[in-house]
Amino acid sequence: MPTGAFAKERRPSEDGASMIAATLEEDIVLGLLAPRVRLVEDDLMERFAAKRHVVRDALAQLESAGLLERRRNIGSMVKAFSRDEVIHLYEMRELLELEAMRRIALPLDRDALEQLRRIQAGHDAAIQQQDPRGIFRTNQEFHRLLFAQCGNVFLSQSIEDFARQTHAIRFGTLMSRERQLQSQQEHHELLAVLAQGEGSRERLIRLTAEHLVPPRDHYLKTQEALLP
């Protein structure tokens, strides 16, 4: 079985600040906190019943992950990207993710494939139940396990790090029913290809590249008037 086939989810430790950061990260990717929205410490303290130093620690975690930016006399706000930054970030994601797909053994290890199918069943259920946070979490779990199959832990971690940076770019797409169903179909197509042999390599690479396009283009379109 390839190294990292059962890699654990790389979430923060289960302390108060980390749990607040994880919730706000989901808020960003779901479009509940859009680019340029300011995060007010007092509001967060009330929402999470947390002390100021805990909220500040959570904001620092999100800033370190590239999801927030701090501006003088304004404070923390959801990061907004220029057109070039969006394009360059997605170029990096494509380079890394396609390289991972070139390294994955085909057909995929049976145990890893079954685990991916179980995760996708949870993703299907979340879509059926219209559970946006469940959709986000199972989507993350699916891709984390998929890229772990490349056998290079540094590559799979880099993929996750760059994907996290684009959470503020992906905002709102998970709330689109059309995009939910499109992503679901693409996941099932990936699973079908992963079960096949080496002759399906190019299709696997193509599907991975196409999976990246809709969130990028959605951000560029919806933020067109504001992008420098």
Side-chain angles (χ1 to χ4, degrees):
M1 182 179 301
T3 302
F6 295 96
K8 294 182 179 180
E9 182 179 6
R10 296 180 63 230
R11 289 177 67 86
S13 59
E14 298 299 314
D15 59 45
S18 294
M19 292 303 295
I20 292 172
T23 300
L24 294 175
E25 181 178 349
E26 291 180 1
D27 288 349
I28 290 170
V29 88
L30 295 176
L32 303 175
L33 292 172
R36 301 180 180 84
V37 167
R38 182 174 173 237
L39 279 71
V40 180
E41 289 182 4
D42 289 346
D43 293 345
L44 296 175
M45 289 168 61
E46 181 178 357
R47 174 183 175 184
F48 294 104
K51 296 185 181 298
R52 189 173 301 277
H53 75 276
V54 176
V55 167
R56 286 181 174 174
D57 187 8
L59 295 176
Q61 290 182 31
L62 293 171
E63 185 177 355
S64 177
L67 297 174
L68 300 182
E69 55 185 341
R70 182 174 294 275
R71 294 191 178 181
R72 189 172 182 178
N73 301 324
I74 296 178
S76 296
M77 57 193 304
V78 179
K79 186 171 177 60
F81 295 88
S82 70
R83 181 178 286 99
D84 283 347
E85 286 174 330
V86 172
I87 292 170
H88 293 164
L89 271 171
Y90 272 86
E91 284 178 348
M92 284 302 302
R93 287 194 65 185
E94 182 174 302
L95 285 170
L96 294 168
E97 294 183 18
L98 298 195
E99 179 58 28
M101 292 302 97
R102 294 184 182 99
R103 292 169 176 251
I104 287 178
L106 292 179
L108 188 63
D109 173 87
R110 182 179 300 176
D111 290 341
L113 186 58
E114 285 306 309
Q115 190 176 5
L116 279 170
R117 286 170 173 159
R118 287 194 296 270
I119 294 169
Q120 184 55 39
H123 188 247
D124 294 342
I127 291 173
Q128 179 66 30
Q129 296 161 11
Q130 286 292 279
D131 173 12
R133 292 186 188 274
I135 294 170
F136 170 66
R137 292 167 185 167
T138 52
N139 182 70
Q140 292 288 94
E141 190 178 2
F142 180 91
H143 287 287
R144 183 176 292 111
L145 178 60
L146 172 60
F147 291 122
Q149 307 313 307
C150 73
N152 184 319
V153 67
F154 298 104
L155 176 56
S156 59
Q157 287 179 1
S158 295
I159 288 170
E160 185 171 351
D161 291 341
F162 273 97
R164 177 166 281 122
Q165 288 186 59
T166 62
H167 281 352
I169 295 173
R170 295 166 57 200
F171 84 98
T173 55
L174 284 180
M175 300 295 282
S176 163
R177 182 65 173 170
E178 179 182 359
R179 178 54 192 155
Q180 289 171 5
L181 295 174
Q182 180 184 1
S183 181
Q184 179 185 31
Q185 179 181 344
E186 291 168 355
H187 282 195
H188 282 285
E189 289 176 359
L190 283 169
L191 288 170
V193 172
L194 290 166
Q196 299 170 11
E198 184 61 35
S200 298
R201 177 77 60 188
E202 289 306 313
R203 186 176 174 215
L204 177 63
I205 292 171
R206 177 177 55 80
L207 287 171
T208 302
E210 291 174 351
H211 197 60
L212 289 168
V213 172
R216 181 201 65 192
D217 288 356
H218 175 268
Y219 185 91
L220 291 173
K221 182 178 180 180
T222 57
Q223 299 289 296
E224 184 174 3
L226 301 174
L227 288 173

